[in-house]
């Protein structure tokens, strides 16, 4: 578990509109990489192209290469469904399935794919995933209750448990804390620190303190103006990005002098 | 300062004290019922002098009450409260106006229908019955069978069409289907009946009347309703749930089957039930496509069948001699039809409640 991601000259389109241009990025296994940048600069678009969620939107497509441990994710014959089984995702707003209990939400990846499992194996998986998401102690007595009855922060950790239950190699997080209060945010950040033992994590965030706290590497995306494509300005160790970035634009952004 | 304030209060009492809340006059609580009673008495006396009529009495009372209340409230409470009271009266009267025909229909059908609402009505057909007695067992069976067949054809077609339109459809084909569904929604029911007659004349031969033809006609009317209801329900399933499922590596068809439809099943089921309720009372298409018979038939693929709406219509339009038993049976058939529709509506609510996603 925990694989490397390499983007090589990646162009991402919505129809004929070039949204993100020429991304070259190497993400090392078992690290946390934060993507920062102003709204509309294409960080979420880039994130969604990593597990091929981008193409769910009609007309959306990708040019260039994106490799998971050297294997081209957009190669001919690669099934996007298979890609998504290896690269899990946590969304901005917590989205547990409203028709399912907490238990069923955790094993939704198996249940929805009708994968047969023995009862004790499922029980173990549910406990392991919920423990992995730091949620077990809070919900162990009400696993049969609906997931939508939990608080926002608990729901988000339930979604993380759901994502790690399918045992992916990579975990993508699209602003996972933007809908949460500071305490829930702290819980998720602690969790990210634990999860990087096993997973490669890529997190999009608007919160630069968060990027500084949780990530090993940081990539800064920027956009020159509306209608122009977003670009990866620079990527480096988080320490470097926040203390002595190479580019002027990065320095302006992380020091708050931007826009 | 203190002197100044007391002086001001003495002089202009309706001005708010500085920094405080405006204290306004208020009509007493009995103003509304009292005003209404007073208006009724006044209008009643006037009408007694020039000739009484119920309609004029009600309208006159409401108008007088509205005007009186507005004027009084404007004097005491100010113009904003007065407008509020006037609009309240107008809205309540509009509600009353809308409810009157409804209550009148229910009263008429129940009071006239109860006459023959007996055991015989539910367990005997009209076979060999001339005049008194007889029942609509055959018509109830016919209505239920024909409608069930129509639902059996319409629900899969409508459901799958809606899934296609919401989840897959884009471009010209989807637009064309949406357009034709809209057109079909507006088809007059007699046209659906004539379509079924033409179809079965072509398939079976001229003069063909069979229950299944009625089912076909009803499903022509029902499919667009099912499509529309299901489409609306599928559209309100949040996209985030679909994305959550995709991100777990679930293929699209499984996502639709196991996430999208279960999430919206409550709305879909109640929409379908209401679509059934909508077509179960159709008369015209069944009249031309199925006809009527006096005998009980359980086979919708062979010969004419009786249905409640047609039974009620023909009993009322062409009664035998003596007339009364026919008219009584027509009213009871109408009552049974209303009860069936009401049960279907209750069922729809029950389904919506049972299937609705729970939060605790």
């Amino acid at each position: 578990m925990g694989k490397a991601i390499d983007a090589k000259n990646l162009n991402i389109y919505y129809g004929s509109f070039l949204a993100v241009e020429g991304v070259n990025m190497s993400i090392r296994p078992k690290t946390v990489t934060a993507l920062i940048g102003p709204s509309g600069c294409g960080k979420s678009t880039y994130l969604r192209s990593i597990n091929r969620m981008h193409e769910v939107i009609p007309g959306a497509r990708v040019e260039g290469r994106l490799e998971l441990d050297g294997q081209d994710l957009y190669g001919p014959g690669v099934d996007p469904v298979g890609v998504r089984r290896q690269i899990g995702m946590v969304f901005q707003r917590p989205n547990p399935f409203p028709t399912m209990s907490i238990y069923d939400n955790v094993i939704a990846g198996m249940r929805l794919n009708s994968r047969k499992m023995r009862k004790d194996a499922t029980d173990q998986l549910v406990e392991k995933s919920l423990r992995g998401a730091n949620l077990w102690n809070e919900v162990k007595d009400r696993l049969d209750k609906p997931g939508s009855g939990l608080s926002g922060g608990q729901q988000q950790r339930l979604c993380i448990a759901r994502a790690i239950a399918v045992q992916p190699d990579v975990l993508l997080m699209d602003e996972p804390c933007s809908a949460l209060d500071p305490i829930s945010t702290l819980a998720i950040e602690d969790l990210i620190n634990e999860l990087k033992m096993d997973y490669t994590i890529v997190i999009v965030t608007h919160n630069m303190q968060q990027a500084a706290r949780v990530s090993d590497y940081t990539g800064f995306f920027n956009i020159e103006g509306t209608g122009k494509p977003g670009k990866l300005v620079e990527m480096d160790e988080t320490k470097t990005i926040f203390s002595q970035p190479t580019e002027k634009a990065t320095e302006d952004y992380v020091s708050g002098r931007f826009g | 300062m203190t002197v100044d304030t007391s002086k001001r209060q003495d002089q202009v009492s309706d001005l708010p004290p500085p920094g405080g809340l405006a204290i306004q006059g208020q009509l007493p609580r009995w103003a509304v019922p009292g005003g209404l009673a007073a208006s009724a008495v006044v209008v009643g006396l006037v009408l007694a002098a020039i000739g009484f009529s119920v309609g004029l009495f009600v309208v006159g009372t409401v108008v007088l009450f509205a005007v009186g209340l507005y004027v009084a409230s404007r004097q005491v409470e100010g113009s904003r409260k007065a407008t509020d009271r006037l609009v309240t009266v107008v809205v309540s009267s509009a509600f009353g106006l809308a409810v009157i025909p409804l209550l009148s229909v229910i009263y008429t059908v129940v009071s006239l229908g109860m006459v023959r609402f007996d055991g015989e009505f539910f367990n005997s057909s009209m076979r060999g019955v001339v005049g008194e007695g007889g029942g609509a067992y055959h018509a109830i069976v016919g209505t239920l069978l024909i409608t069930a067949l129509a639902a059996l054809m319409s629900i899969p077609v409508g459901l799958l069409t809606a899934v296609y339109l919401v989840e897959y459809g884009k471009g010209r084909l989807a637009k064309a289907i949406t357009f034709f569904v809209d057109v079909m929604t507006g088809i007059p029911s007699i046209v659906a009946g004539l379509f079924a007659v033409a179809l079965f004349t072509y398939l079976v031969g001229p003069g063909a009347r069979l229950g299944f033809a009625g089912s076909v006609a009803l499903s022509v009317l029902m499919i667009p309703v099912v499509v529309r209801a299901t489409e609306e329900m599928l559209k309100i399933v949040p996209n985030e749930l679909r994305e959550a499922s995709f991100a777990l590596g679930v293929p699209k068809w499984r996502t639709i089957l196991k996430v999208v439809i279960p999430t919206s099943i409550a709305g879909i089921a109640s929409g379908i039930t209401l679509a059934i309720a909508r077509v179960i009372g159709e008369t015209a298409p069944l009249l031309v496509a199925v006809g009527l018979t006096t005998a009980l038939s359980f086979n919708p693929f062979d010969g004419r069948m009786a249905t409640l709406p047609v039974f009620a219509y023909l009993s009322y339009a062409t009664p035998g001699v003596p007339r009364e038993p026919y008219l009584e049976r027509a009213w009871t058939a109408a009552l049974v039809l209303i009860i069936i529709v009401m049960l279907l509506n209750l069922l729809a609510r029950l389904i919506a409640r049972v299937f609705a996603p729970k939060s605790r």
Side-chain angles (χ1 to χ4, degrees):
Chain A
M1 283 201 293
K3 287 186 179 174
I5 303 164
D6 289 289
K8 291 170 184 168
N9 258 326
L10 198 67
N11 294 330
I12 310 173
Y13 294 86
Y14 288 105
S16 58
F17 173 68
L18 179 59
V20 180
E21 188 181 19
V23 176
N24 286 293
M25 182 187 277
S26 294
I27 296 170
R28 299 199 191 157
K30 300 189 181 181
T31 57
V32 179
T33 303
L35 306 179
I36 59 170
S39 291
C41 68
K43 13 179 229 311
S44 288
T45 301
Y46 171 65
L47 189 79
R48 287 168 61 92
S49 72
I50 296 177
N51 69 341
R52 297 189 66 168
M53 283 296 287
H54 175 62
E55 64 205 65
V56 169
I57 299 159
R61 64 199 166 81
V62 164
E63 279 172 8
R65 270 179 85 85
L66 192 63
E67 294 174 354
L68 183 69
D69 266 5
Q71 192 198 1
D72 189 4
L73 292 176
Y74 283 89
V78 174
D79 184 2
V81 171
V83 172
R84 290 175 202 143
R85 283 179 190 164
Q86 290 183 59
I87 306 179
M89 189 163 197
V90 177
F91 295 83
Q92 188 170 357
R93 291 232 310 263
N95 51 2
F97 297 116
T99 48
M100 297 182 192
S101 65
I102 293 171
Y103 188 97
D104 286 340
N105 257 296
V106 175
I107 49 162
M110 283 78 194
R111 277 281 154 83
L112 293 177
N113 278 318
S114 293
R115 215 174 297 160
K116 294 273 178 295
M117 283 178 82
R118 296 218 331 272
K119 177 81 174 90
D120 54 340
T122 3
D123 286 347
Q124 269 175 12
L125 179 66
V126 168
E127 181 171 346
K128 189 177 148 223
S129 307
L130 284 173
R131 279 191 194 283
N134 270 337
L135 191 62
W136 174 252
N137 287 326
E138 289 159 70
V139 299
K140 63 183 174 199
D141 301 321
R142 46 170 171 161
L143 290 173
D144 55 336
K145 295 282 188 313
S148 41
L150 299 173
S151 77
Q154 289 173 327
Q155 285 188 20
Q156 192 63 299
R157 277 180 280 154
L158 178 60
C159 292
I160 293 175
R162 181 175 70 185
I164 60 181
V166 292
Q167 284 149 7
D169 300 309
V170 178
L171 207 51
L172 307 177
M173 298 185 167
D174 190 357
E175 297 179 43
C177 303
S178 65
L180 305 180
D181 67 292
I183 293 171
S184 308
T185 302
L186 193 67
I188 305 263
E189 286 179 5
D190 289 345
L191 177 57
I192 291 173
N193 266 324
E194 287 168 28
L195 289 175
K196 76 172 176 187
M197 312 282 177
D198 298 316
Y199 304 96
T200 307
I201 296 175
V202 186
I203 176 172
V204 165
T205 178
H206 271 296
N207 181 333
M208 276 178 280
Q209 287 80 18
Q210 183 171 60
R213 281 194 299 264
V214 300
S215 70
D216 307 309
Y217 295 89
T218 299
F220 172 59
F221 279 77
N222 203 358
I223 186 169
E224 284 164 17
T226 43
K228 300 254 178 65
K231 285 179 182 167
L232 176 65
V233 175
E234 77 174 293
M235 175 165 171
D236 212 324
E237 285 190 28
T238 301
K239 279 194 298 243
T240 318
I241 290 281
F242 280 91
S243 55
Q244 49 211 143
T246 322
E247 299 284 330
K248 179 89 171 58
T250 315
E251 192 181 347
D252 286 353
Y253 187 77
V254 297
S255 61
R257 252 179 287 154
F258 179 86
Chain B
M1 271 308 276
T2 39
V3 180
D4 221 346
T5 311
S6 64
K7 213 174 176 184
R8 195 187 287 166
Q9 271 175 348
D10 282 336
Q11 282 168 352
V12 269
S13 59
D14 57 337
L15 266 185
L21 284 172
I23 307 297
Q24 280 188 330
Q26 204 174 8
L27 284 178
R29 276 205 173 174
W30 48 262
V32 171
L36 203 56
S39 314
V41 170
V42 172
V43 173
L45 286 176
V46 172
L47 284 184
I50 60 172
F52 193 79
S53 101
V54 179
L56 214 53
F57 172 69
V58 173
V59 173
T61 306
V62 170
V63 170
L64 184 65
F65 172 64
V67 171
L69 190 68
Y70 180 75
V71 171
S73 170
R74 206 186 159 90
Q75 292 294 324
V76 181
E77 299 178 322
S79 74
R80 183 170 59 81
K81 284 263 178 102
T83 312
D84 178 42
R85 285 188 184 271
L86 181 69
V87 173
T88 307
V89 172
V90 170
V91 169
S92 314
S93 325
F95 167 72
L97 211 61
V99 167
I100 289 169
L102 198 67
L103 290 178
S104 164
V105 165
I106 290 175
Y107 173 77
T108 314
V109 174
V110 170
S111 62
L112 292 170
M114 282 313 283
V115 177
R116 279 301 320 279
F117 200 78
D118 49 30
E120 194 185 1
F121 190 83
F122 288 98
N123 63 24
S124 60
S125 70
M126 287 298 290
R127 184 163 206 171
V129 175
V130 179
E132 299 228 348
Y137 178 46
H138 60 315
I140 295 171
V141 167
T143 283
L144 294 181
L145 275 178
I146 288 175
T147 314
L149 268 179
L152 212 63
M153 290 186 286
S154 316
I155 292 170
V157 174
L159 202 69
L160 293 175
T161 307
V163 167
Y164 172 76
L165 286 178
V166 177
E167 304 291 338
Y168 293 96
K170 46 191 160 220
R172 287 216 181 136
L173 182 58
K175 272 192 190 141
I177 293 175
T178 311
F179 175 72
F180 283 116
V181 167
D182 281 345
V183 172
M184 276 176 79
T185 317
I187 285 183
S189 58
I190 183 69
V191 175
L194 293 174
F195 161 75
V197 170
L199 180 70
F200 281 86
T201 304
Y202 177 72
L203 290 178
V204 186
R209 295 279 183 280
L210 65 165
F212 186 64
S215 301
V216 169
L218 290 187
S219 68
V220 168
L221 294 170
M222 198 175 151
I223 286 172
V225 183
V226 174
V227 172
R228 263 292 126 90
T230 312
E231 211 185 336
E232 294 308 316
M233 289 304 140
L234 293 178
K235 272 185 191 163
I236 59 172
V237 173
N239 232 351
E240 293 153 12
L241 294 182
R242 294 185 181 93
E243 294 203 330
S245 177
F246 292 152
L248 288 170
V250 180
K252 189 165 185 175
W253 69 273
R254 278 192 193 279
T255 301
I256 293 168
L257 211 61
K258 296 197 164 180
V259 174
V260 178
I261 291 181
T263 308
S264 55
I265 190 70
I268 293 175
S270 62
I272 286 173
T273 321
L274 292 178
I276 296 173
R278 153 96 181 65
V279 297
I280 204 168
E282 280 295 345
T283 317
L286 298 181
L287 188 63
V288 294
V290 187
L292 186 69
T293 172
T294 54
L296 183 61
S297 159
F298 280 101
N299 186 356
F301 298 95
D302 182 30
R304 295 161 181 257
M305 279 177 99
T307 50
L308 277 171
V310 176
F311 175 80
Y313 168 72
L314 287 179
S315 302
Y316 204 87
T318 56
V321 181
R323 288 168 55 91
E324 279 67 34
Y326 288 87
L327 301 188
E328 285 165 0
R329 283 194 293 265
W331 281 110
T332 308
L335 178 61
V336 172
L337 203 54
I338 288 183
I339 290 173
I340 292 176
V341 171
M342 196 183 70
L343 288 178
L344 282 173
N345 276 286
L346 288 178
L347 185 71
R349 279 163 183 264
L350 194 71
I351 289 170
R353 184 169 301 177
V354 169
F355 283 114
K358 295 154 194 78
S359 71
R360 271 187 197 279

